[in-house]
Amino acid sequence: MIVACVAFATLWVLIRLSAAELHPFVVVVWRNLMGLAWFAPLLLAAPGLLRRDRLAGHLKRAASGLVATFATFYAVATAPLAAVLAINYSAPLFATLGAVLFLGERIRIYRTLALVAGFAGVLLVLRPGATAPSPGLLAAVVSALATAVSLVAIKALTDTDDPRAVAAWSFVLTAPASIPVALPFWSWPSPGLWPLLVGLGAAAAAGQLALARAFALADASAVMPYDFVRFGLVTLAGILLFGERADLLTLLGGTLILGSAIAIALRERRRPTSTRAAGPPAT
């Protein structure tokens, strides 16, 4: 999980740098293509890794993951990094709320209080009424909603599938699907940008592999607290590399959101495995 945090923090820095030249949607395409290239040696060495018997589950994970990726890349390119990450942490809260609203799941006071605290944190970050929410922050909300669906799919798949296959399928399925979306905004990268795009693909592949492995090895309640590492790294990157201001309300909101998600994950550990929600956000 710590490896995933470092990889995703690096990925966000590379997204912001690449988006200075390319549209964020074009950066998504290169993320998928470069990530797939990093997986190619593994797929050639283990041709039976991509089994088709769980293809429906992988398609669900890929579709929700693609929406989350487009929204996340746009948000990272256009909004303060700490605010985007704070909102991204609300994905497990949306997953829990969705289970209540659409699956008829009952929740007791413990998780109700955690949800209230978490969404209070979202309001601290967005501050509706104080200023008009920027398109980047609205994209971050879309990303959190899509990530909530993707997380449930990842956890369901890693219960039975090889974590390497779960990560590889996400690139195999999203690489061709992302190209039509990006074509209206297309431009080719300059020669100096190629090293960043190669690194971006490597960071995305490493993060997905590490996250899938973390889910396969441990419950969400065990790995989620370590996601504070990503919050610290991304916040520092925004301040030191991009001159963003350390917004105390955003930091407080992000801490509330992630703390609530951890509290829900700890509560989930006491429930039957078949009804547990997934854990931390992915990119």
Side-chain angles (χ1 to χ4, degrees):
M1 187 60 192
I2 292 175
V3 171
C5 289
V6 174
F8 287 139
T10 302
L11 174 65
W12 281 32
V13 170
L14 294 175
I15 292 169
R16 176 66 69 86
L17 294 173
S18 301
E21 179 179 324
L22 302 176
H23 190 280
F25 288 3
V26 178
V27 179
V28 170
V29 173
W30 290 115
R31 175 261 192 196
N32 292 338
L33 292 176
M34 293 297 180
L36 183 58
W38 282 102
F39 271 103
L42 172 63
L43 298 178
L44 292 174
L49 187 64
L50 298 183
R51 297 162 42 198
R52 299 182 182 179
D53 54 329
R54 300 287 306 277
L55 186 57
H58 289 292
L59 284 170
K60 177 182 177 182
R61 183 268 185 273
S64 57
L66 189 61
V67 172
T69 302
F70 273 114
T72 298
F73 275 46
Y74 182 83
V76 169
T78 60
L81 294 181
V84 174
L85 184 56
I87 295 172
N88 195 239
Y89 278 143
S90 66
L93 306 183
F94 284 118
T96 301
L97 186 61
V100 174
L101 295 178
F102 302 111
L103 301 180
E105 184 176 302
R106 298 176 63 185
I107 60 173
R108 300 187 183 278
I109 187 65
Y110 184 92
R111 287 201 296 160
T112 300
L113 291 175
L115 283 175
V116 170
F119 286 116
V122 174
L123 292 177
L124 276 177
V125 176
L126 292 176
R127 277 161 252 169
T131 58
S134 69
L137 291 182
L138 293 177
V141 175
V142 173
S143 170
L145 290 167
T147 299
V149 178
S150 185
L151 286 173
V152 175
I154 291 173
K155 186 58 181 173
L157 289 167
T158 52
D159 283 342
T160 56
D161 286 19
D162 188 318
R164 298 172 301 168
V166 175
W169 268 119
S170 69
F171 287 94
V172 170
L173 295 172
T174 60
S178 60
I179 295 174
V181 180
L183 279 180
F185 312 97
W186 191 262
S187 61
W188 289 98
S190 65
L193 193 61
W194 285 107
L196 293 183
L197 296 177
V198 173
L200 189 147
Q208 291 293 338
L209 273 172
L211 187 67
R213 184 64 176 160
F215 276 0
L217 289 172
D219 288 339
S221 58
V223 299
M224 280 195 66
Y226 293 95
D227 215 21
F228 271 115
V229 172
R230 185 161 58 117
F231 194 36
L233 291 175
V234 167
T235 301
L236 282 176
I239 295 170
L240 299 178
L241 298 180
F242 304 111
E244 296 178 358
R245 185 169 56 89
D247 188 327
L248 293 179
L249 287 179
T250 296
L251 296 178
L252 176 59
T255 301
L256 268 176
I257 296 166
L258 183 54
S260 300
I262 292 171
I264 288 175
L266 290 172
R267 195 67 174 181
E268 293 284 319
R269 186 172 55 180
R270 303 182 183 181
R271 304 170 62 214
T273 302
S274 60
T275 61
R276 290 180 188 172
T283 300

